[in-house]
């Protein structure tokens, strides 16, 4: 179970990074190569799919870690990041506008990744792993 926390943290950091990179680079890539717009990962639903994986992985990893090391600051940072990611994925640019959607996605992904790095470090310091 303890090794699972590290794996979940690393997976969540990776997925959050993919989400942020996708959000920032896909519009540029579609302009440069319009045929990319036909691929499945160019669709807005890709964000929802990523959040579908990030949300349970992050929740599980942060909950397992916080039960061990009791640093609830880690959970707070992660929850704020997840709320931003979910809001951006579900609200999209239609509801919030493109700038707010991209900002929320990048900030949310950064906060989720930061919370998992914090969780990983706290678990190592408190022998959770």
């Amino acid at each position: 179970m303890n090794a699972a926390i590290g794996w979940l943290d690393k997976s969540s950091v990776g997925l959050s990074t993919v989400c942020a990179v996708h959000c920032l680079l896909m519009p540029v890539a579609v302009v440069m190569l319009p045929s990319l717009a036909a691929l499945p990962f160019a669709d807005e639903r890709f964000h929802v799919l990523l959040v579908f994986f990030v949300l349970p992985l992050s929740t599980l990893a942060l909950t397992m870690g916080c039960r061990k090391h009791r640093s609830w600051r880690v959970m707070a940072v992660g929850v704020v990041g997840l709320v931003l990611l979910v809001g951006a994925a579900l609200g999209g640019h239609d509801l919030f506008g493109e700038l707010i959607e991209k900002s929320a996605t990048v900030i949310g992904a950064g906060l989720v990744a930061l919370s998992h790095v914090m969780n990983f470090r706290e678990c190592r310091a408190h022998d959770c792993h």
Side-chain angles (χ1 to χ4, degrees), residues 17-68:
T17 303
V18 168
C19 195
V21 169
H22 174 267
C23 183
L24 292 173
L25 295 182
M26 187 48 67
V28 174
V30 169
V31 168
M32 301 291 277
L33 295 165
S35 60
L36 288 177
L39 297 174
F41 60 84
D43 193 327
E44 283 297 316
R45 290 177 287 200
F46 188 73
H47 277 147
V48 176
L49 181 65
L50 283 174
V51 170
F52 177 77
F53 288 108
V54 168
L55 189 61
L57 285 175
S58 291
T59 303
L60 184 60
L62 294 175
T63 302
M64 289 170 59
C66 286
R67 280 188 188 159
K68 301 255 186 199

